[in-house]
Amino acid sequence: MLITADWIVPVTGEPIRNGAVLLSRGRIAELGPANELLARNPDARIHNYPGCTLMPGLVNAHTHLAMSCLKGLIPSQPFHEWLKHIPVAWNALSDDDIAASIAMGALRSIASGVVAVGDIAYGPESISIAADTGLGGVFFWEILGIELEGLPQALYDAEYPSDPLRGCQGRLRCGISPHASYTSGPRLLQGTHKIAMAQSAAFAVHVAESPAEVELLMRGQGPLTRLSDRLAAGFEAPGITPVRYLDRLGVLEQALAIHCTRVTPGDIGVLAAKAAGVALCPRSNAYLEGGSAPIRALADSGVALGLGTDSLASNSDLDLFEEARALQALEPSLSARRIIEIMTREGAATLGIAGRFGSIEPGRDADFAIFAVSGDDPHASLLADAGRSTIQAVMSAGVWRVLSSSPVMGVSRVERGSCIAAEKASLALASSMSDF
Ligand SMILES: [Zn+2]
């Protein structure tokens, strides 16, 4: 199969005008000028996409797909207030509701060109549903609020694979996340990190997301104190920044540091030296009044950056290009080319999956998105106009997932299941909002 477009943007090489990608057995066999590939492969089945740009499938570095059914249910407010509503909504959901919510999030991700995620998972459903829909990436089992001694049982109960390298491999990788320094105590932070490193699994932690988190760590005060007293066993305010605290515990090594809105120049140096990467979530940070990360300083520090939508409980959609436009608005000095890299190869690097996702190269799985976008500068054109509204086609693992702008997989049953979940969560929230 040969696919032609006005532009091929491989990310690891220069854009190819009037380019083509040759596929063989679900993999990229070759890419180059369309006329050359057409001449060498006269018998190939051809899909022409005039007026379009073909790029690698996008990498959404931070999602909570399981929370997709909460879209629009919790208003914008400071993070520590918003967080109180999450367990209320969550506890109203059955396993089937959560599965429908994950499926809806996965399909919406793919429908906007995403082929890999860094997802916070709460059990094995996220990874199995993602596999069914064609979504790959890293799935971090979230374990929080327990004593270290309870960790083996908690992992067992959450059906975390006993051998994550065998249990999930290839396009699907496993990881662990202890959520944050105010919901997991120091021993649990270290224990989860130790297991992840010993198993060559991934590790992620939310860090420096809100002013309240900094206030808690620096001074032991503020609106997160009750939560940390209840969940973070053994926590004592260290009097240093969240990044320094996690570094002192030794858990930033190879970690994906999520958010990092409240970081100092010194923190940025620590992140660059230790972390696997930083996931930026500008729209969620704005929704939860957390401010903006120092994007320019992080971008210049050498730490790998990824871009994440976070969950639909704190964002309006899972469209990574909408997130990218928010990033650019906050930091106009960041070039379109760098932002496209953050959405693809560099974002994949933050998750440790750049060897498989984020660029178009011979020998790799056929993972790409085609947008009805064209212009003399393909990076700028993509950043200006690509997204759910201009998607033409998506292929992941060599299978068409979106064709003629529509998901190939039937979505009506998934949407219905997710509507039921949203209704339950909405009722639970309505009866509890007056309590807060
Ligand atoms: Zn998150």
Side-chain angles (χ1 to χ4, degrees):
M1 186 191 303
L2 198 89
I3 300 162
T4 73
D6 284 12
W7 287 99
I8 308 292
V9 176
V11 171
T12 40
E14 288 303 307
I16 304 164
R17 192 193 281 268
N18 297 321
V21 174
L22 180 70
L23 308 184
S24 175
R25 299 171 187 266
R27 291 180 182 271
I28 308 286
E30 201 178 343
L31 65 161
N35 55 0
E36 291 179 16
L37 266 65
L38 284 163
R40 283 206 301 275
N41 300 277
D43 298 329
R45 194 152 35 96
I46 297 168
H47 291 246
N48 288 318
Y49 282 93
C52 292
T53 298
L54 184 152
M55 68 178 297
L58 305 174
V59 179
N60 188 339
H62 183 53
T63 59
H64 298 248
L65 295 177
M67 291 190 197
S68 298
C69 70
L70 304 185
K71 175 175 157 50
L73 296 184
I74 307 175
S76 172
Q77 57 199 297
F79 171 76
H80 60 272
E81 297 290 346
W82 171 90
L83 194 58
K84 294 175 186 171
H85 300 295
I86 295 296
V88 175
W90 189 254
N91 292 336
L93 303 176
S94 69
D95 290 349
D96 284 349
D97 296 330
I98 292 168
S101 187
I102 296 165
M104 198 263 277
L107 287 176
R108 289 196 178 184
S109 298
I110 288 173
S112 61
V114 170
V115 302
V117 291
D119 187 56
I120 304 296
Y122 306 90
E125 294 79 12
S126 297
I127 206 163
S128 61
I129 292 168
D132 289 346
T133 58
L135 200 59
V138 183
F139 296 80
F140 299 94
W141 263 247
E142 187 170 79
I143 302 289
L144 57 83
I146 58 169
E147 299 273 358
L148 174 63
E149 288 68 23
L151 180 56
Q153 187 66 42
L155 289 170
Y156 179 81
D157 290 346
E159 298 181 50
Y160 180 73
S162 55
D163 182 352
L165 284 184
R166 267 186 49 196
C168 27
Q169 51 190 323
R171 301 175 61 83
L172 301 158
R173 304 256 179 104
C174 288
I176 303 178
S177 175
H179 182 240
S181 56
Y182 48 89
T183 47
S184 284
R187 293 173 67 233
L188 184 61
L189 288 164
Q190 289 174 318
T192 48
H193 185 263
K194 191 174 169 189
I195 289 179
M197 295 303 108
Q199 295 179 333
S200 299
F203 183 83
V205 60
H206 295 71
V207 54
E209 179 174 6
S210 68
E213 181 182 338
V214 176
E215 189 181 5
L216 175 73
L217 271 86
M218 295 293 289
R219 290 184 289 282
Q221 297 171 356
L224 287 176
T225 49
R226 272 177 58 194
L227 188 69
S228 69
D229 285 348
R230 189 158 56 84
L231 295 179
F235 173 80
E236 288 179 21
I240 53 179
T241 66
V243 168
R244 295 276 186 190
Y245 172 63
L246 295 175
D247 184 41
R248 194 165 82 184
L249 294 175
V251 304
L252 276 185
E253 208 72 51
Q254 297 180 49
L256 174 67
I258 304 160
H259 297 304
C260 297
T261 60
R262 302 273 159 170
V263 290
T264 65
D267 290 339
I268 293 171
V270 172
L271 290 165
K274 304 284 178 66
V278 170
L280 301 170
C281 306
R283 288 190 298 168
S284 174
N285 297 149
Y287 196 92
L288 302 177
E289 301 178 20
S292 167
I295 299 162
R296 182 78 256 172
L298 285 164
D300 293 340
S301 72
V303 72
L305 297 182
L307 188 62
T309 56
D310 210 341
S311 82
L312 285 177
S314 60
N315 206 341
S316 53
D317 57 60
L318 299 175
D319 187 336
L320 202 66
F321 267 109
E322 291 298 336
E323 204 68 44
R325 285 186 273 275
L327 185 74
Q328 189 189 39
L330 289 169
E331 190 48 72
S333 73
L334 216 52
S335 70
R337 186 173 193 137
R338 178 72 189 274
I339 294 175
I340 297 294
E341 287 183 2
I342 288 170
M343 301 168 76
T344 55
R345 181 199 56 77
E346 191 173 337
T350 70
L351 297 167
I353 54 175
R356 185 174 284 271
F357 293 102
S359 62
I360 296 174
E361 298 175 50
R364 289 195 172 209
D365 287 351
D367 286 305
F368 55 78
I370 302 173
F371 296 95
V373 165
S374 188
D376 286 340
D377 180 340
H379 298 106
S381 302
L382 284 167
L383 193 54
D385 295 320
R388 177 71 189 95
S389 61
T390 52
I391 196 99
Q392 291 298 296
V394 178
M395 181 176 278
S396 76
V399 177
W400 290 112
R401 312 291 176 176
V402 174
L403 276 172
S404 304
S405 306
S406 297
V408 171
M409 193 178 285
V411 295
S412 57
R413 191 174 59 81
V414 170
E415 295 282 357
R416 184 168 167 271
S418 189
C419 284
I420 293 168
E423 188 179 351
K424 287 185 189 175
S426 180
L427 284 170
L429 286 165
S431 60
S432 80
M433 288 261 185
S434 54
D435 297 344
F436 293 119

